Amino acid sequence: MAAESRHQEVGHKSLLQSDALYQYILETSVYPREPESMRELREITAKHPWNLMTTSADEGQFLALLLKLIAAKNTIEIGVFTGYSLLATALALPHDGKILALDINRENYEIGLPVIEKAGVAHKIDFREGPALPVLDLLLEDEKSHGSFDFAFVDADKDNYLNYHKRLIELVKVGGVIGYDNTLWNGSVAAAPDAPMRKYVRHYRSFVLELNKFLAADPRIEICQLPVGDGITLCRRIS
Ligand code: SAH
Ligand code: CA
């Protein structure tokens, strides 16, 4: 097949042509169904100086539905912040579900913890403060943990995503799913290299580009990159 014919022309910038359309989704399908505890945590997090890092309500809803669709029971989350995606996960898992939650910062987790406790799902969470990579390495030392996770959500230091992938591909079961968050990186992945960008966006951009290329070529997974939130790439382990 000629190279040109494999690349179909894109006739519009995005399906979401306006902020109003995004607002429509939130107001019609997301906010009316957002659990009270998640709304409370979202409102608390909005006051945090780093609130930009939180998972959006529509992405939280997406994660929760996905976890139920795959009937996830044992999951791992890398990058907790105040816990919005963690709470979405904890609510979606069955009563005996488990989440290994990793973050270098416990303080922010503790901002959300009272809400998580009030929601009655704190018993599902095993929070560990510290860098995620050594925890994954420790898990890999135990043969029993290989293929033991149904789902992993990666939402932390972008320069380590490929290191996480190398380990998570062993820890998640065949048929399990890894979700990498922020894979559209503020839209910068498609911007010209000399386009104006915030410093941190520019800094991590090359890592996100490298990750996206790697995932697209990795034969051990099937992938789907969704324009939800800042872009989430779902990877289903097939071997
Ligand atoms: N999922 C969260 C957002 C995470 S923001 C939510 O829904 O709100 C990114 C988080 O990654 C931050 O809390 C940061 O402390 C954490 N982080 C950064 N480097 C890390 C590392 N090496 N290991 C674990 N967590 C890390
Ligand atoms: Ca994110």
Side-chain angles (χ1 to χ4, degrees):
M1 199 195 317
E4 314 83 77
S5 62
R6 281 193 276 115
H7 301 279
Q8 224 183 326
E9 277 302 312
V10 182
H12 49 75
K13 286 198 184 91
S14 151
L15 192 56
L16 284 183
Q17 288 156 355
S18 65
D19 291 345
L21 206 45
Y22 179 51
Q23 209 56 38
Y24 172 83
I25 295 174
L26 290 176
E27 277 161 21
T28 308
S29 306
V30 180
Y31 293 151
R33 284 184 168 260
E34 186 183 33
E36 174 64 26
S37 55
M38 287 176 65
R39 189 179 61 78
E40 192 182 345
L41 183 52
R42 186 161 54 77
E43 282 167 2
I44 292 169
T45 305
K47 296 181 202 128
H48 195 289
W50 309 339
N51 63 48
L52 226 83
M53 299 207 303
T54 191
T55 299
S56 62
D58 54 318
E59 186 173 0
Q61 186 183 57
F62 169 71
L63 280 176
L65 186 61
L66 174 68
L67 288 160
K68 289 183 183 179
L69 287 171
I70 66 170
K73 223 173 147 176
N74 195 29
T75 77
I76 184 161
E77 173 164 310
I78 305 178
V80 170
F81 187 43
T82 63
Y84 190 81
S85 56
L86 183 62
L87 178 56
T89 305
L91 289 170
L93 296 192
H95 189 73
D96 59 347
K98 290 267 168 278
I99 312 161
L100 179 60
L102 310 175
D103 203 296
I104 47 173
N105 183 319
R106 178 184 285 274
E107 244 172 81
N108 289 324
Y109 169 61
E110 282 177 354
I111 293 174
L113 188 54
V115 182
I116 294 174
E117 282 168 345
K118 203 166 64 183
V121 291
H123 67 277
K124 301 178 193 174
I125 299 168
D126 175 8
F127 179 87
R128 313 249 186 104
E129 185 181 30
L133 214 51
V135 178
L136 301 186
D137 281 334
L138 203 67
L139 277 174
L140 281 168
E141 281 178 23
D142 180 3
E143 199 64 40
K144 285 199 295 291
S145 64
H146 290 225
S148 68
F149 291 93
D150 307 303
F151 179 78
F153 183 57
V154 183
D155 191 13
D157 43 343
K158 315 304 164 202
D159 42 343
N160 261 323
Y161 273 29
L162 275 179
N163 291 324
Y164 295 142
H165 185 62
K166 204 171 155 192
R167 289 148 177 91
L168 289 172
I169 198 76
E170 302 291 334
L171 293 169
V172 167
K173 69 178 184 189
V174 173
V177 176
I178 311 170
Y180 291 104
D181 201 33
N182 302 93
T183 58
L184 294 177
W185 201 232
N186 241 268
S188 71
V189 289
D194 57 353
M197 282 173 217
R198 271 169 291 165
K199 214 174 152 200
Y200 83 94
V201 172
R202 181 173 305 285
H203 176 74
Y204 289 107
R205 180 176 174 270
S206 58
F207 295 101
V208 177
L209 289 172
E210 194 189 353
L211 172 84
N212 290 340
K213 256 196 194 157
F214 187 92
L215 295 180
D218 188 343
R220 300 168 298 179
I221 51 175
E222 295 172 329
I223 67 166
C224 180
Q225 185 170 29
L226 293 166
V228 173
D230 189 27
I232 175 167
T233 302
L234 299 182
C235 309
R236 177 176 176 272
R237 183 179 171 194
I238 52 174
S239 70

